[in-house]
Amino acid sequence: MTTSVAGTASAEAGPEVRATGGVLLGAVESDVAVFRGIPYSEPPVGGLRFAAPRPAAGWDGVRSALAFGPPVPQTGMLGRGPTAADRADDGWLTVNVWTPATDPAARLPVMVWIYGGGYTVGMSSWSEYDGGRLARDGGVVVVTFNYRLGMEGFAQIDGAPSNRGLLDQVAALEWVRENIGAFGGDPAEVTIFGESAGAGSVAALLAMPRAGGLFRRAIAQSVPGTFFSPSLAAELAAACADELGLRPTAADLAAVDPALLALTGDAVTESMPARADRWGQAGSRSVLFSPVVDGDILPVTPWQALAAGAARDIDLLVGHTRDEHRLFMLLTGLLGQVTPEQAESALRDFAPGGDGARRYRDAYPDAGPDELHELVHADWLFRMPSLHLAQAQVAAGGRAHLYELTWTAPGMGGALGACHGLDVPLVFGNLTDGQPAMLIGESPSPEATGLSARMRTAWTAFATHGDPGWPPYDPDQRRTQIFDVDPIVTTYPEDRSRRIWQDHVFTALSLHDDRP
């Protein structure tokens, strides 16, 4: 149910809300109250560089919450990196709230978004993450936030806690618990949702004792299977620090400008495939940062944690797109260009077990090099980790709902299919601004707008009631919601890949020397 916006200020001045830090002045946009750039943690600079987040200090008077906070330090991607003005402001750790009602009595469900970007890029200010439509149409409070990335957030360095980016996420969720009631939200009805690295973060939070009690439901869209052992993470961080002639310690790196430190990863990433003999699958795939299974902040992998019942009481919605790797093939120039030798190398490096390559060729006898290369990468990185997360949850007596997005986006003549990231604009309903236009086109078709409406309805229904509108997954019938022009519920469609991976265990990626 949607309640009209109410605030203590005049309509001309905008709504005001009293949070724990002080009074915030927001704006009303399309019948939704919006508050941007609210600090949830002190800036992690100076003496707090590489430290766990600390609650933000309060303020006197009324604080304007009309503009997004600056993005965290990162490199650019597709021309979307921080601007010079952004780099001049270190108030990175902020939250944004879209709410249909600022009446504390509204007690609306809350959806907290965690952006993706390979744990190296991303910002809550990107237009595709605008929560207005989702909040207005779904009658929910939508929260987005920034968290530390790359060396600042995920490098394993001496003298600093592991997984600082995940600790930022916990701090943001603690801010939600303490403040969201003032924005009309219900702190007991919080759903976290994220895509790609955001989904990996969701999976990690399900496994983290420190996140216990901060959310009731979780949506994981395209869960990556990349989690690191401490030794692998430490060696990758050392390689980055070495680009500056420094040791991978908090003391050495604290004096380095955050923007410069973010750039060190570029050179290391380019050289990673040449060191795959040492760095294993992370090197072959050029994955430089991931959550670290350190035994403390993240005690075990999400699959191990869920199988042991760590999230048995959390409702889980999880799924992936059909063509998860297609976009990456385009970005690397491999789309339509894969040689038999490259396909064989991909099968050797990423197919599970000693006979995984043969099993792929047997399961997909008509697949050429392009398809085999794409399939094994998609399965290793996103499709099978997502499926296995649902299976682990169900095996422990929990409930999970599974989906697959199979709609072929019309952008680029449909060449990208149902690619990685296509679900994000469909879920938020922001189909025309920024990157979504590349996939969906400048003028979304009725099929696109209809599919987006169905996905938004499913996501907000799940956040409200724990039921997205189709039956839970079970190991026998394996019922899966297929999102397409004509949506259906059917047996999980990627059964050939499921069988190839059914005995695989997703463990933390490690150095070759550390493997049994």
Side-chain angles (χ1 to χ4, degrees):
M1 179 179 68
T2 302
T3 307
S4 61
V5 170
T8 60
S10 67
E12 292 77 11
E16 289 186 6
V17 162
R18 180 172 292 278
T20 54
V23 178
L24 294 160
L25 171 66
V28 176
E29 300 173 4
S30 300
D31 298 323
V32 173
V34 187
F35 301 83
R36 298 181 173 95
I38 310 166
Y40 70 85
S41 174
E42 287 293 289
V45 297
L48 299 181
R49 185 85 179 271
F50 305 116
R54 297 186 185 179
W59 56 87
D60 295 326
V62 178
R63 179 188 180 103
S64 174
L66 302 179
F68 288 108
V72 300
Q74 59 192 275
T75 58
M77 182 182 74
L78 303 178
R80 308 181 78 192
T83 66
D86 293 331
R87 290 190 288 270
D89 188 343
D90 57 21
W92 308 314
L93 301 184
T94 59
V95 300
N96 318 291
V97 180
W98 288 260
T99 177
T102 55
D103 180 0
R107 308 288 287 184
L108 298 175
V110 182
M111 299 184 69
V112 181
W113 172 252
I114 306 174
Y115 55 69
Y119 307 104
T120 59
V121 296
M123 56 192 77
S124 62
S125 56
W126 282 348
S127 59
E128 53 261 48
Y129 303 151
D130 186 287
R133 184 181 295 273
L134 195 61
R136 182 179 66 252
D137 294 353
V140 298
V141 178
V142 177
V143 178
T144 67
F145 64 92
N146 291 337
Y147 62 95
R148 280 175 284 181
L149 300 166
M151 287 291 285
E152 301 289 334
F154 289 94
Q156 185 79 355
I157 58 179
D158 292 340
S162 304
N163 297 308
R164 296 172 299 281
L166 295 180
L167 292 177
D168 289 348
Q169 295 170 16
V170 171
L173 288 170
E174 290 173 339
W175 183 94
V176 169
R177 179 185 59 193
E178 296 164 6
N179 289 278
I180 208 62
F183 295 84
D186 186 347
E189 295 290 339
V190 173
T191 297
I192 57 173
F193 68 129
E195 184 267 346
S196 195
S201 298
V202 168
L205 290 166
L206 288 167
M208 289 172 59
R210 299 181 194 212
L214 293 177
F215 56 93
R216 182 174 181 181
R217 300 183 179 98
I219 304 174
Q221 305 169 210
S222 301
V223 181
T226 54
F227 285 73
F228 285 173
S229 71
S231 57
L232 173 61
E235 192 159 309
L236 292 172
C240 292
D242 189 60
E243 290 293 318
L244 299 172
L246 300 173
R247 299 171 301 165
T249 68
D252 271 22
L253 298 176
V256 180
D257 180 84
L260 175 61
L261 187 60
L263 293 174
T264 61
D266 290 348
V268 177
T269 298
E270 292 176 4
S271 69
M272 287 183 77
R275 292 189 261 185
D277 285 347
R278 173 71 176 169
W279 292 340
Q281 291 174 319
S284 296
R285 184 63 204 220
S286 297
V287 179
L288 187 56
F289 298 106
S290 282
V292 181
V293 182
D294 66 333
D296 176 21
I297 294 168
L298 184 59
V300 295
T301 68
W303 301 274
Q304 185 179 350
L306 265 62
R312 186 182 295 117
D313 297 328
I314 303 293
D315 298 326
L316 176 62
L317 171 59
V318 59
H320 56 76
T321 70
R322 181 189 59 208
D323 307 308
E324 286 281 8
H325 191 55
R326 191 77 55 85
L327 178 62
F328 298 101
M329 295 183 74
L330 172 71
L331 295 175
T332 57
L334 285 175
L335 188 60
Q337 304 296 320
V338 177
T339 66
E341 292 75 20
Q342 288 171 318
E344 187 62 30
S345 177
L347 290 171
R348 182 181 63 251
D349 291 343
F350 296 102
D355 63 345
R358 176 193 61 77
R359 295 182 68 188
Y360 264 97
R361 288 190 291 268
D362 290 348
Y364 298 95
D366 299 324
D370 270 89
E371 185 177 359
L372 287 171
H373 184 277
E374 179 180 348
L375 280 167
V376 71
H377 277 286
D379 286 341
W380 174 79
L381 188 54
F382 295 117
R383 300 202 312 180
M384 295 304 108
S386 299
L387 174 64
H388 282 218
L389 196 71
Q391 292 175 335
Q393 175 76 338
V394 173
R399 187 174 68 173
H401 296 265
L402 186 67
Y403 75 89
E404 182 178 31
L405 175 61
T406 61
W407 178 65
T408 295
M412 301 187 64
L416 294 180
C419 70
H420 185 71
L422 177 60
D423 49 329
V424 175
L426 294 172
V427 165
F428 277 91
N430 302 321
L431 305 182
T432 57
D433 294 331
Q435 295 298 313
M438 180 186 75
L439 302 175
I440 296 172
E442 295 293 341
S443 300
S445 66
E447 289 81 6
T449 56
L451 177 58
S452 176
R454 286 191 293 273
M455 294 187 74
R456 291 199 311 277
T457 296
W459 264 235
T460 55
F462 179 79
T464 303
H465 307 296
D467 183 356
W470 66 89
Y473 183 87
D474 70 82
D476 297 322
Q477 297 186 7
R478 300 189 295 282
R479 289 172 292 193
T480 306
Q481 173 70 58
I482 306 302
F483 282 108
D484 211 320
V485 174
D486 297 311
I488 60 171
V489 176
T490 187
T491 302
Y492 181 65
E494 313 304 338
D495 196 60
R496 288 180 288 180
S497 290
R498 181 191 69 83
R499 291 177 179 273
I500 293 172
W501 289 82
Q502 62 184 353
D503 297 323
H504 180 74
V505 177
F506 283 95
T507 59
L509 302 183
S510 60
L511 297 168
H512 270 301
D513 291 354
D514 294 338
R515 297 178 183 182

